[in-house]
Amino acid sequence: MKKFDAIIIGAGQAGPPLARRLTAAGMRVALVERHLFGGTCVNTGCMPTKTLIASAYVAHLTARAIEYGIVLGGTIRVDMANVKARADAVAANARNGIEKSLRSLTGCTVFEGHARFEAPDVLRVGEELLSAPRIFINVGGRAAVPSMRGVETVPYLTNSTILALDRVPEHLVIVGGSYVGLEFAQMQRRFGASVTIVEKEARLIPHEDEDVSAAIRDILVREGIAIRSSASCIGLAAHERGVAVSVDCVDGEPTIVGSHVLLAVGRRPNTDDLGLDRAGVSTDTLGYVVVDDHLATTVSGIWALGECNGHGAFTHTAYNDFEIVAANLLDGKSRSLSERIPGYALYTDPPLGRVGMTEMQARAGGRRLLIGTRLMSRIARAIEKGETQGFMKVVVDADTRKILGAAILGTGGDEAIHGVLDIMNAGVSYDVLERAVPIHPTISELVPTTLSEMRPG
Ligand SMILES: Cc1cc2nc3c(=O)[nH]c(=O)nc-3n(C[C@H](O)[C@H](O)[C@H](O)COP(=O)(O)OP(=O)(O)OC[C@H]3O[C@@H](n4cnc5c(N)ncnc54)[C@H](O)[C@@H]3O)c2cc1C
């Protein structure tokens, strides 16, 4: 039995910075990783997808070059092998950097292998037994494969395996019209694939407001992406040209034949093979580790951070989990999950920046609301860039004057949303932002104007 002061399972977004803080505090730390250092974000999530999206953006702009007065000579084509190589290199660089920094970290011992609990303070990694009074679970999640008809009979892609393609699919059918599916849909369409999105709900990204969802649908349809919503009873079957996806929609062909099918129907936590029952750690019905406001599990001395605790499916939420745990354990602070104001982006082009409640959620709370909206086509910077799709919307509590949430769907929306996020974090009324003097010409510049033009909603 090898004894440590702390064991971290997973080298994703919370594990490595936590290893650095714990060792700096003088603890002997074991960090166990079973696959790729850097986890989902670095290897199969944010980094490769945003790198591919950047290539897709260039392809898209190149096709629009003439609109900007730029004349390109010769044939423009997408060299998918090189596009992939660029994404692979970005991911590999980050992965290697993380691995190197962990292996050279004084006080940290890296174990490669699958960790499984034997007891609340004991983990098995292959032949080794490791023990510590503090164990941090940062095991992340993986693509969920739904038990839909025929799924076991066809080759399908997930967000991980699609990254291995070095040729553009002829016709990519994407099952799932939410965040991951939409990013791949637009990217692959811009690379030249025919793309069909199959979504079982009546609209795309159904957690977002209807106006946001409809605007994104329009953007995608305008680029030639086919959308089959309200698809009930989705099933897969082998076909001589690839995979037949039966959609049984209200209208349109009942079956779509794609050369490839991507399953983008959500994620599941990597907790089913951790031996959590041997430690007595509780999970919810979906397998997420149950944690309190400080990320402690139901067993003293064990914490769960990142996607596996079900309180955020993002890199920044996993990192914030690390910050909460480190501050409470090492700095004598009392930070908690409930302080976190949710923010995220959908990296379609234009992107959607989101913070706080949707209008739908705010209405459900029964508050008196003030709502401000502005089309991107009425924002100078968007007009100058020739990127006028989308709109911004801010939702305010009319009584407290606090901003409840916002959506900025438009060029630079992923950045501009931070002005609103910061005001919400400051806990002040919207008046502070309304009186700010932003820089011209920017997208952020019109947030104060939108606030000044709000109406009762
Ligand atoms: C296609 C896609 C795009 C995304 N884009 C974004 C984005 O733009 N922005 C954003 O914020 N988020 C994005 N995400 C989400 C983001 O990648 C994850 O939320 C984030 O990586 C979660 O971090 P984590 O530390 O919880 O887990 P992970 O990063 O998944 O790390 C968990 C690690 O634990 C290891 N592990 C698991 N089980 C064991 C075990 N038993 N023993 C040892 N090791 C184990 C795994 O191998 C993995 O390395 C995206 C996700 C996907 C799928």
Side-chain angles (χ1 to χ4, degrees), residues 153-398:
T153 65
V154 296
Y156 58 79
L157 299 166
T158 65
N159 71 276
S160 303
T161 55
I162 194 172
L163 299 174
L165 295 185
D166 56 8
R167 287 179 38 197
V168 179
E170 197 179 309
H171 181 184
L172 178 66
V173 179
I174 300 177
V175 181
S178 203
Y179 308 92
V180 169
L182 299 192
E183 290 185 5
F184 276 109
Q186 190 182 43
M187 168 216 303
Q188 289 292 341
R189 178 69 195 137
R190 289 178 169 194
F191 289 150
S194 293
V195 175
T196 305
I197 300 170
V198 176
E199 166 58 48
K200 73 173 165 43
E201 301 293 333
R203 59 187 181 88
L204 301 177
I205 40 171
H207 296 300
E208 302 296 342
D209 285 333
E210 237 173 291
D211 49 2
V212 171
S213 164
I216 289 179
R217 183 187 174 106
D218 285 350
I219 288 164
L220 298 179
V221 168
R222 216 169 294 153
E223 291 193 25
I225 294 170
I227 297 169
R228 302 294 299 273
S229 44
S230 301
S232 56
C233 203
I234 302 169
L236 308 176
H239 189 279
E240 56 189 12
R241 294 203 311 277
V243 180
V245 184
S246 51
V247 293
D248 197 21
C249 293
V250 177
D251 48 30
E253 283 298 313
T255 301
I256 302 154
V257 178
S259 58
H260 297 72
V261 63
L262 168 68
L263 298 183
V265 289
R267 313 263 304 158
R268 57 177 294 195
N270 290 327
T271 53
D272 46 340
D273 51 4
L274 252 185
L276 288 174
D277 48 335
R278 294 208 171 190
V281 172
S282 299
T283 54
D284 67 14
T285 48
L286 297 172
Y288 291 100
V289 179
V290 175
V291 291
D292 66 13
D293 211 22
H294 302 287
L295 300 160
T297 68
T298 46
V299 175
S300 165
I302 305 181
W303 291 259
L305 300 82
E307 212 173 308
C308 69
N309 65 28
H311 289 277
F314 301 101
T315 285
H316 47 279
T317 48
Y319 190 81
N320 181 232
D321 285 359
F322 143 69
E323 292 175 316
I324 292 169
V325 167
N328 295 346
L329 278 182
L330 303 171
D331 304 334
K333 302 254 171 71
S334 179
R335 290 184 63 175
S336 57
L337 259 183
S338 46
E339 291 165 14
R340 183 154 80 206
I341 294 171
Y344 53 87
L346 162 68
Y347 291 92
T348 46
D349 172 37
L352 168 68
R354 276 272 303 113
V355 60
M357 293 183 198
T358 58
E359 184 184 334
M360 242 173 357
Q361 289 168 329
R363 285 194 188 288
R367 300 173 178 84
R368 281 196 322 120
L369 301 179
L370 291 170
I371 298 176
T373 56
R374 171 164 287 256
L375 291 173
M376 286 289 148
S377 56
R378 291 178 59 221
I379 298 182
R381 188 66 197 280
I383 295 167
E384 289 147 8
K385 289 173 82 177
E387 299 184 347
T388 52
Q389 302 185 100
F391 66 99
M392 63 171 71
K393 174 163 71 173
V394 189
V395 181
V396 167
D397 184 317

